[in-house]
Amino acid sequence: MTSLSFAGVLQAADAIAGELPPTPAWSYPALNQEVGAEVIVKHENVQPTGAFKVRGGVAFAASLTGADRTAGLVTASTGNHAQSVAYAARLLGAPAVIVMPHSAAAEKEHATRLLGADVVRHGDTMGAALDHARDLAASRGMRFVSPGDEPAIVHGHATVYLELLRRHAGLDAIYVPVGSGSGAAAACLVRDELAPDCAVIGVQSAAAPAAYNSWRAGEVLEASCATRVAGVATSRGCELPLSVMCDRLDDFLLVDDGDIMAAMRLMSSAAHTLAEGAGATALAGALAHSARPGRIGVICTGGNADAGELAELAVTPVLAAG
Ligand SMILES: *Cc1c(COP(=O)(O)O)cnc(C)c1O
């Protein structure tokens, strides 16, 4: 697929510049000590929606032309993509309808409604919710927004890596949590241009390995999805991100949900940061990686911890030093 390009990333960076300032990226001595590497944490948890996905939403809104700008947006999501699309529609002054599967957290539904979107609960799985969203878009004449297969969204997500690699030259590796893979594909696009020697390493929950299995096989596959970590809970690979990841992702790690909770705890104690599970998944990957190099970037993709994650944070033990 040739629809993704570094030129597209630069265009997205222009499109979001007036709306979303660059996010901070810090190194914390206590975290460096625990990980045994110099870690730069890129803080997407401080975005206005609490996650990096708003970059994709804002870039997507800017890319729309003609009737698509006013007809309104429809998508399906368990949370952060929902808030991103709601935020984008609000920027356009257009309506948004978000289909959430019954399992989605109440907090995320509430936050999405507060951005002005209509939330419809439908289906037990993301697949069922997506089918319903496609039907709604067709019957109402609105624009269906795919969570993984929109080039403008991948270009928007890539601005995370543009900011990180422009400011921090000489990183040996970047760890990226993977759900659909749009963030990991975006990282590869920017890395190829700005830092060819920096490895991009995907991290997914072992309890929802659809993207991992698809990457290994080189084709879109489905897998069971039993993770508690909402931001990375997907059951099917996504074609557009996979088209980039299959050639260019350097490595892909699976971690257990328990490791993700421990990383969330470490993010709170050593980096003063409330990450949601998905936002700590990259750190969990770095901690588990036996071949971890000396200078690494870790993307804290989001801070929208739900009630279950907050409760786990309180009972998960602090990692022992060393
Ligand atoms: C969506 C999401 C991810 C996964 O990103 P993909 O682009 O779908 O692979 C990771 N972390 C958070 C917080 C997310 O919302």
Side-chain angles (χ1 to χ4, degrees):
M1 244 173 264
T2 54
S3 51
L4 294 174
S5 66
F6 188 66
V9 178
L10 296 178
Q11 215 176 344
D14 281 347
I16 72 166
E19 182 67 21
L20 303 171
T23 56
W26 298 122
S27 173
Y28 303 92
L31 185 62
N32 295 347
Q33 189 188 35
E34 292 292 344
V35 179
E38 185 184 347
V39 184
I40 307 288
V41 180
K42 178 68 169 161
H43 283 289
E44 292 301 300
N45 55 297
V46 301
Q47 291 286 8
T49 57
F52 77 101
K53 288 207 177 69
V54 70
R55 294 174 183 266
V58 172
F60 176 78
S63 76
L64 292 176
T65 54
D68 277 349
R69 292 186 74 83
T70 49
L73 307 178
V74 184
T75 196
S77 167
T78 54
N80 289 336
H81 174 65
Q83 289 181 65
S84 162
V85 170
Y87 189 98
R90 197 181 64 175
L91 275 183
L92 292 169
V97 181
I98 313 292
V99 182
M100 289 191 174
H102 295 298
S103 58
E107 297 90 322
K108 291 196 173 171
E109 173 176 346
H110 182 62
T112 304
R113 286 191 191 281
L114 288 176
L115 288 165
D118 253 348
V119 176
V120 176
R121 290 277 186 168
H122 184 96
D124 292 327
T125 63
M126 264 303 288
L130 276 167
D131 288 343
H132 189 59
R134 273 193 204 90
D135 291 346
L136 281 179
S139 67
R140 298 187 189 180
M142 297 167 83
R143 173 70 155 81
F144 172 73
V145 188
S146 163
D149 287 330
E150 303 281 359
I153 290 183
V154 177
H155 286 146
H157 292 171
T159 60
V160 171
Y161 304 93
L162 197 62
E163 290 172 15
L164 179 65
L165 289 172
R166 278 180 171 165
R167 197 178 158 96
H168 295 278
L171 290 178
D172 299 314
I174 304 176
Y175 293 80
V176 184
V178 176
S180 70
S182 65
C188 292
L189 285 180
V190 177
R191 180 281 312 273
D192 288 356
E193 204 69 28
L194 297 187
D197 295 334
C198 175
V200 175
I201 299 170
V203 187
Q204 189 163 46
S205 166
Y212 173 84
N213 291 350
S214 301
W215 175 76
R216 291 209 67 141
E219 61 175 324
V220 171
L221 295 178
E222 301 204 15
S224 64
C225 177
T227 178
R228 292 169 287 154
V229 180
V232 293
T234 47
S235 55
R236 188 167 208 280
C238 272
E239 201 166 330
L240 180 68
L242 273 173
S243 71
V244 174
M245 289 160 69
C246 282
D247 290 342
R248 287 138 83 180
L249 193 67
D250 295 276
D251 205 350
F252 204 147
L253 310 170
L254 293 177
V255 291
D256 293 332
D257 282 10
D259 298 335
I260 294 174
M261 291 305 143
M264 204 176 143
R265 181 77 181 79
L266 182 61
M267 201 63 107
S268 75
S269 62
H272 330 299
T273 297
L274 175 62
E276 62 184 282
T281 297
L283 179 59
L287 285 163
H289 193 197
S290 54
R292 178 184 56 246
R295 253 199 111 208
I296 65 175
V298 158
I299 315 303
C300 178
T301 45
N304 292 324
D306 61 31
E309 289 175 332
L310 289 173
E312 289 234 27
L313 191 55
V315 299
T316 303
V318 181
L319 288 180

